[in-house]
């Protein structure tokens, strides 16, 4: 009986491209921009504002962190922010992070708030905001709500821990409170949102 020859099929393995190279084209869409000509009332010279309609996730993160830093600074400077102003203040930071408009680099809340009030009362503000896609605007609001929810959960956990600590004997409580203090149980909501180091 003759021997039957078996054909061995070799599997040719194709080198898979790096994931980053596959996603590179997708990420490049965030570099797309629109130039918007604008003539301020009382001026003859045209200003061109470059805006980026598609919001890069890391810039959304930075935009919302900037917003929360401003809110925290307002508390320190005792500047009262009305609830009705919240959306427009977010709009201010959207313009700051997703256009090339020159805005103040000042850290004082009053400086930023005064500039915000000028911007919000100009016809330029509403016009410029209208150019941003709804989905882009929504991504900033969603990020804000996510952080508020996260901080709320953390505060609730911290309160529960504090309640449990209060039930312990004094000597045990002091030792545990000292340990928990090092991992951030005493941090405020603003510090958590802005990733501030624990003192």
């Amino acid at each position: 009986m003759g021997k039957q020859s078996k054909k061995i099929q070799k599997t040719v393995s194709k080198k898979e491209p790096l994931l980053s190279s596959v996603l590179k084209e997708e990420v490049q869409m965030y570099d797309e921009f629109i130039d918007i000509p604008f003539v301020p009332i009382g001026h003859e010279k045209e200003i061109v504002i470059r805006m980026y309609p598609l919001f890069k996730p890391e810039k959304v993160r930075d935009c919302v962190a900037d917003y929360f830093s401003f809110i925290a600074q307002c508390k320190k400077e005792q500047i009262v922010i009305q609830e009705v102003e919240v959306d427009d203040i977010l709009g201010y930071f959207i313009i700051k992070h997703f256009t090339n408009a020159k805005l103040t680099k000042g850290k004082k809340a009053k400086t930023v708030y005064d500039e915000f009030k000028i911007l919000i009362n100009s016809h330029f503000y509403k016009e410029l905001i209208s150019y941003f896609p709804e989905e882009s605007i929504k991504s900033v609001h969603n990020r804000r709500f996510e952080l508020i929810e996260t901080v709320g959960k953390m505060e609730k956990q911290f309160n529960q821990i504090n309640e449990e600590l209060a039930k312990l004997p004094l000597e045990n409580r002091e030792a545990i409170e000292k340990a928990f203090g090092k991992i951030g149980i005493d941090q405020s909501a603003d510090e958590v949102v802005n990733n501030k180091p624990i003192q």
Side-chain angles (χ1 to χ4, degrees):
M1 195 172 186
K3 293 182 179 179
Q4 293 182 346
S5 61
K6 294 182 180 179
K7 291 183 180 180
I8 301 174
Q9 293 182 343
K10 292 184 178 180
T11 304
V12 180
S13 59
K14 293 182 180 179
K15 190 176 181 181
E16 292 292 332
L18 289 172
L19 180 60
S20 58
S21 64
V22 174
L23 299 178
K24 189 174 181 180
E25 188 175 343
E26 175 191 332
V27 175
Q28 284 176 339
M29 69 180 180
Y30 296 117
D31 296 328
E32 296 176 5
F33 60 84
I34 301 171
D35 285 338
I36 302 171
F38 170 72
V39 181
I41 294 174
H43 294 260
E44 295 181 0
K45 190 176 179 180
E46 181 180 82
I47 296 174
V48 177
I49 300 293
R50 177 164 291 184
M51 61 165 290
Y52 297 85
L54 303 177
F55 294 179
K56 188 180 290 187
E58 65 178 328
K59 292 208 74 175
V60 170
R61 176 201 64 203
D62 295 342
C63 176
V64 175
D66 210 4
Y67 161 82
F68 276 113
S69 292
F70 167 71
I71 296 299
Q73 191 61 32
C74 282
K75 290 178 181 177
K76 290 179 182 178
E77 296 180 29
Q78 296 183 332
I79 296 173
V80 179
I81 301 296
Q82 304 297 329
E83 188 66 30
V84 72
E85 293 179 309
V86 170
D87 285 352
D88 287 328
I89 290 173
L90 271 175
Y92 167 88
F93 284 104
I94 285 171
I95 290 173
K96 181 178 179 180
H97 284 267
F98 298 101
T99 77
N100 68 341
K102 289 185 178 180
L103 299 176
T104 182
K105 292 182 180 179
K107 299 295 182 183
K108 288 187 176 180
K110 187 179 185 308
T111 303
V112 175
Y113 186 71
D114 287 347
E115 184 175 68
F116 156 73
K117 294 297 281 187
I118 292 171
L119 194 64
I120 191 67
N121 286 301
S122 70
H123 72 284
F124 161 78
Y125 173 82
K126 187 173 286 188
E127 181 181 341
L128 185 55
I129 285 293
S130 69
Y131 282 98
F132 289 109
E134 186 179 344
E135 283 302 312
S136 293
I137 299 288
K138 193 181 292 184
S139 68
V140 174
H141 285 274
N142 287 345
R143 173 71 178 178
R144 172 178 170 264
F145 289 131
E146 285 170 7
L147 286 176
I148 290 173
E149 185 179 1
T150 298
V151 170
K153 288 179 180 178
M154 291 178 70
E155 288 182 339
K156 185 178 179 181
Q157 290 174 348
F158 290 165
N159 289 335
Q160 288 174 344
I161 292 172
N162 279 328
E163 289 174 4
E164 292 300 319
L165 288 175
K167 299 174 184 177
L168 295 175
L170 181 60
E171 61 274 12
N172 292 345
R173 186 164 69 244
E174 288 176 346
I176 295 174
E177 282 177 347
K178 186 176 180 181
F180 273 109
K182 291 180 181 179
I183 62 169
I185 196 169
D186 296 324
Q187 283 185 290
S188 67
D190 293 322
E191 289 172 330
V192 173
V193 166
N194 290 291
N195 297 314
K196 290 184 179 178
I198 300 163
Q199 300 299 320

